[in-house]
Amino acid sequence: MKAAPLDFPQWMRARAAHVELVLDDLLPAPDQAPGRLHEAMRYSVLGGGKRVRAALVYAAGQACAGSGNGVAVEAALDRAAAAVELIHAYSLVHDDLPCMDDDTLRRGRPTTHVRFDEATAMLVGDALQPLAFELLADMPIAPALVVQAVQVLARASGSAGMTGGQAIDLDSVGRGLTRDELQTMHLLKTGALLGASVALGGIVAGASSQHRRALDDYAQAIGLAFQVVDDILDVTADTASLGKTAGKDAAADKPTYVSLLGLDEARALAAELRAAARQALAPLGDSGACLAELADFIVLRDR
Ligand code: GRG
C-alpha cells in the first residue's frame, strides 16, 4: 500500500504544538521556588518560535527510524527536541542583552531582560543550559548513545560551535569579513545547533554511519541556508512580521551575505543550498521527505 502524501504544513504545526507541550511539562513550574526565575525561564522558552530545531530532531529521527535502537525512541526524541530548543532559547536571551545585541523585541514580545531584568535574563541562560543536558541524560536509550548525544550538543553549543560563532560575530562589527570568514562565523553561530538537531535525531534513532553522513551533509547545507535567509529577511521583511527588530545588521554595520554578495546573489546562494540539502538526502530515500520539506521551509520562510 502506498503511503499517504505528506501534508508538511500540518506536520510542522503538529510537531511545534507537541514540543510546546513537552517543554511546558519539562520546565520547572512557576509556583516552584525560585518562582521568578522559573517564570522567566518559561517566558523565554514557551509561546513562540518556529521550532525549526525541534522539527529537525523529529524529522531526522523519523528518517532513520527502522535502523532503530529498539527502545522508547519517541520519548527520547521529545527530550532531544526540547533540549535543542532550550539551548536555542538561552542563546536568544543572552544575545538580546544590552552587552550583546541590545534588543528589546523577540518573538513579538519584550525580550527577557526587558520583561524581567538583566540579572534574571543571565540566570535564565545559566539555568536553561544545564536543563538541556539533564534532559539528554534522561533519554531512555542505550547509554552509549546518550553519551554521543551529550557530546554532540555540548560541542555545538560551546566555543567550537555557537558560542565561538557569537564571539567572532561580536568581533566583526565595523570591520569587513571575507566570504570565507563570514561562512565560518555562521556555520558556528547558527549552523552548529541546527546541525546538532539533525545529528541528535539520527543518534536517537540509531542511524547507520551511511545515514549519519547523509544527515551531516544535509545539515551543513541547511545551516548555511538558514543564515543566508536570515540576512535576506533582515533587509526585506518588516519588524512586525519578523517579531524582532528588522534592519539591525545594516544599522550595526555588520557583515552579512546581503552586504557581501548583494540581494540577488544571496537569494541565488540560498536556492543553491536548498538544492544541495535535498540532494544530500538521497541515501535516505522516501523517509527523508520531512527533512526535504524542512529545507524548503528554511529557505522559503518569510519570518
Ligand atoms: C549568546 C552564546 C550566544 C549565542 C547567540 C543564536 C545566536 C547566538 C544569536 C541570535 C542572533 C541571531 C538573530 C542569529 C541569526 C539566526 C538565528 C539563530 C535566528 C533565530 O532563530 P529562529 O529564526 O528563531 O529559529 P525562533 O524565534 O523562530 O525560534
Side-chain angles (χ1 to χ4, degrees), residues 161-162 164-192 220 223-232 249-250 253-262 265-266 269 273:
M162 183 180 75
Q166 179 78 346
I168 299 172
D169 191 4
L170 292 174
D171 215 33
S172 72
V173 176
R175 71 178 178 87
L177 287 183
T178 64
R179 183 166 166 176
D180 279 354
E181 287 170 332
L182 188 70
Q183 175 161 321
T184 302
M185 175 182 91
H186 289 317
L187 283 174
L188 295 177
K189 188 177 112 170
T190 313
Q220 184 88 358
L224 211 49
F226 191 97
Q227 188 60 53
V228 175
V229 172
D230 212 67
D231 287 353
I232 293 170
D249 293 340
D253 196 19
K254 273 191 175 183
T256 69
Y257 278 100
V258 175
S259 66
L260 206 67
L261 303 178
E265 229 186 287
L269 176 60
L273 290 164

Side-chain angles (χ1 to χ4, degrees), residues 48-53 85 88 90-92 94-95 100-101 106-107 157 162-163 166 189-190 226-227 230 244 301 303:
K50 296 179 287 296
R51 305 299 184 203
V52 169
R53 291 153 193 81
E85 287 294 333
H88 172 55
Y90 121 71
S91 79
L92 299 179
H94 279 191
D95 183 65
M100 294 213 200
D101 217 26
R106 172 68 66 185
R107 294 175 168 171
S157 310
M162 183 180 75
T163 305
Q166 179 78 346
K189 188 177 112 170
T190 313
F226 191 97
Q227 188 60 53
D230 212 67
K244 62 178 181 180
R301 72 200 157 97
R303 71 183 176 101

Side-chain angles (χ1 to χ4, degrees), residues 94-103 113 118 122 166 170:
H94 279 191
D95 183 65
D96 289 332
L97 283 168
C99 63
M100 294 213 200
D101 217 26
D102 192 11
D103 220 324
H113 67 275
E118 274 185 49
M122 289 285 296
Q166 179 78 346
L170 292 174

